[in-house]
Amino acid sequence: MAATPGRTAQDDRKHPVDATLPPFKMFTSGLQHVAAMYAGVVAPPMIVGPACGLGPTETAFLMGASLFTAGIATLLQTLGFWKIGAKLPFVNGVSFAGVTPMVAIGKAQSPGDALPVIFGAVIVAGVLGFLLAPYFSRLVRFFPPVVTGTVITLIGVSLLPVAFNWSQGGNATAHDYGSPVNIGMAALTFVIVLVLRRVLRGFLQQISILLGLVAGTLIAIPVGITDFGAITEAAPVGFPTPFHFGAPQFDAAAIVSMCIVMLVCMTESTADMLALGKIVDRPADERTIEGGLRADTLGTAISPLFNGFANSAFAQNIGLVAMTKVRSRFVVATGGLILVLLGLCPVAASVISLVPLPVLGGAGIVLFGSVAASGIQTLATAAMDKGENALIVAASVGIGLIPIAAPRFYHDFPKDMLVVLDSGISTGCIVAIVLNLAFNHFGKRRGQPPLEVIPQQPERGAPDARPAGAH
């Protein structure tokens, strides 16, 4: 068929983002995305569950719920409806940003109330984020790399102590906590992950952490530190029972903390959408970012119904898109469907609970360190030699490290304030945003543009006024 007058043959071709692949390649490519993100999805519930007093079986249930809700959020992002969804190959999963605040909430509540309070706060944060999405997409210039890089770095650094605790055994009251056996298994797993990352290529390299966990677990079986309890009690088929841990409760301090987390997640997702748009050659304009943030926040708001947590973008999958050159959003949607099916199979979800905590700790050092490295990589683009950006990073990281370096620093403050203050991510994010506004926006002379303003992309379908080849 001849091209329509005024249109080129390229215009009539479907964009690679909207293309579909043969069924087998669609499935295997989608499975690859799941493999790349699986450890990241189940890690937060493995941290939050024990912190809220859950045993292995209930923690495995929480992991299954996280897989299920991550699948729903990914389908919202990739397929979308109305004005919801970026409609890019954009993977969503449980955000690391919420882990530290949720652990703080869990410790501040009685075991029976911890998860209901967390779920209530996540619901409110998701609804607030959904309402703010149209406005937040216009405020992206106030969240330059100096802010997002600082926050992502603090996320990784704040989670590293968790990996160190796992490496010692996870339970400070246990007789073998910090034993040479536990730390030895963590060190062995750490080395295995690094070796696999170095020698493997392609898809296998992408899942080196997952392969390291499998190898470490197999080695741990004869050592005698593997617990098969959860998998023997799990059913082959199940559904994440709505409000399994009780009806949501609404605590003001917890809500404030999770709303801050939601803003952090929205900031991360915005940055990831801008990066992904460049990779797939479909620039993320304001409308795309608005739809993507709506999907993020709607997925977050409905996740607690199925016992899930806040969802945001998974940066490692953006790297996978760049490496494989497979840009179809339907491939990622297939991955989302696989996540939903895994969430409906408790046995599959509980398999990961076989991984001993020391093994998970060794891999966690690499996993959480990679998050911090991503933040540092973002900071490398933050024009540190201009203005007061170096001071912004120094002050924000310094404040954010207080709960890590001196855990009892705020011990004499009111209990409700500790939910926010004990999260280095929340406090560091607030400081970074305020200082960026003070130094790079409000403090600027008239006519002097703020540093690192992200240019708004033309709306999808609108012509780009720049000449071909311009950057």
Side-chain angles (χ1 to χ4, degrees):
M1 180 183 295
T4 304
R7 292 175 60 88
T8 66
Q10 184 176 1
D11 291 328
D12 288 329
R13 289 200 302 265
K14 186 177 293 186
H15 193 284
V17 168
D18 298 318
T20 56
L21 305 180
F24 180 74
K25 189 171 183 180
M26 186 88 75
F27 174 78
T28 53
S29 298
L31 184 62
Q32 183 171 242
H33 275 283
V34 173
M37 70 179 293
Y38 190 93
V41 174
V42 299
M46 289 190 74
I47 302 171
V48 176
C52 294
L54 300 187
T57 302
E58 291 295 282
T59 300
F61 177 90
L62 205 61
M63 290 188 291
S66 295
L67 292 168
F68 181 79
T69 54
I72 291 177
T74 299
L75 290 171
L76 284 174
Q77 276 289 9
T78 52
L79 301 181
F81 66 94
W82 185 56
K83 297 181 179 180
I84 296 171
K87 296 182 180 178
L88 292 171
F90 200 49
V91 176
N92 276 53
V94 182
S95 173
F96 279 111
V99 172
T100 304
M102 288 190 293
V103 169
I105 294 170
K107 291 180 178 178
Q109 303 291 330
S110 62
D113 294 331
L115 282 173
V117 169
I118 289 173
F119 290 149
V122 171
I123 290 172
V124 174
V127 172
L128 176 66
F130 187 86
L131 296 175
L132 289 178
Y135 308 100
F136 194 92
S137 62
R138 301 186 188 111
L139 298 177
V140 65
R141 68 192 186 94
F142 295 112
F143 297 87
V146 70
V147 174
T148 57
T150 298
V151 173
I152 296 171
T153 301
L154 282 172
I155 291 171
V157 173
S158 296
L159 289 174
L160 279 172
V162 175
F164 301 150
N165 180 52
W166 284 347
S167 298
Q168 297 175 86
N171 183 3
T173 62
H175 71 279
D176 62 343
Y177 184 75
S179 68
V181 172
N182 285 344
I183 294 178
M185 281 303 310
L188 179 60
T189 305
F190 176 79
V191 171
I192 289 173
V193 170
L194 293 182
V195 170
L196 291 175
R197 185 71 184 178
R198 177 65 181 85
V199 302
L200 296 178
R201 293 292 182 268
F203 171 58
L204 292 178
Q205 187 184 61
Q206 284 292 323
I207 61 171
S208 56
I209 288 181
L210 189 62
L211 294 176
L213 290 174
V214 172
T217 302
L218 293 175
I219 296 172
I221 292 175
V223 175
I225 60 173
T226 303
D227 182 6
F228 290 89
I231 195 170
T232 57
E233 298 176 12
V237 179
F239 185 80
T241 312
F243 300 129
H244 176 80
F245 298 98
Q249 300 178 24
F250 302 96
D251 177 85
I255 289 172
V256 170
S257 183
M258 291 311 299
C259 284
I260 293 173
V261 168
M262 194 71 259
L263 293 175
V264 173
C265 293
M266 293 169 75
T267 303
E268 288 181 47
S269 290
T270 298
D272 287 334
M273 276 185 273
L274 291 169
L276 183 61
K278 293 178 181 178
I279 290 171
V280 302
D281 195 28
R282 177 179 277 179
D285 54 34
E286 188 176 295
R287 184 172 58 184
T288 300
I289 293 173
E290 180 182 336
L293 293 178
R294 279 198 173 111
D296 266 10
T297 53
L298 178 61
T300 294
I302 65 178
S303 283
L305 172 64
F306 302 105
N307 314 284
F309 303 121
N311 289 290
S312 68
F314 265 48
Q316 60 263 44
N317 291 82
I318 294 176
L320 187 59
V321 172
M323 184 193 73
T324 62
K325 309 299 183 185
V326 177
R327 295 182 277 176
S328 171
R329 61 189 173 100
F330 297 104
V331 163
V332 175
T334 302
L337 183 59
I338 294 172
L339 287 170
V340 170
L341 295 176
L342 285 175
L344 296 175
C345 182
V347 168
S350 65
V351 166
I352 197 67
S353 69
L354 292 177
V355 181
L357 285 180
V359 172
L360 191 63
I365 294 173
V366 181
L367 181 64
F368 302 151
S370 297
V371 177
S374 297
I376 295 171
Q377 188 176 20
T378 302
L379 286 174
T381 68
M384 300 290 281
D385 59 331
K386 298 180 182 178
E388 303 294 344
N389 280 352
L391 179 61
I392 293 171
V393 175
S396 304
V397 171
I399 296 298
L401 287 178
I402 288 176
I404 303 170
R408 289 184 52 78
F409 188 85
Y410 300 112
H411 76 279
D412 205 28
F413 279 66
K415 180 180 176 181
D416 289 344
M417 293 181 64
L418 294 181
V419 175
V420 176
L421 294 175
D422 278 347
S423 168
I425 298 169
S426 298
T427 54
C429 180
I430 293 173
V431 172
I433 291 172
V434 171
L435 291 183
N436 178 61
L437 290 173
F439 287 120
N440 290 337
H441 292 274
F442 299 150
K444 289 291 171 184
R445 295 188 298 271
R446 180 175 299 178
Q448 182 179 3
L451 292 176
E452 301 174 312
V453 173
I454 300 174
Q456 181 175 329
Q457 302 286 353
E459 291 198 3
R460 185 181 302 170
D464 191 340
R466 296 175 299 175
H471 296 283

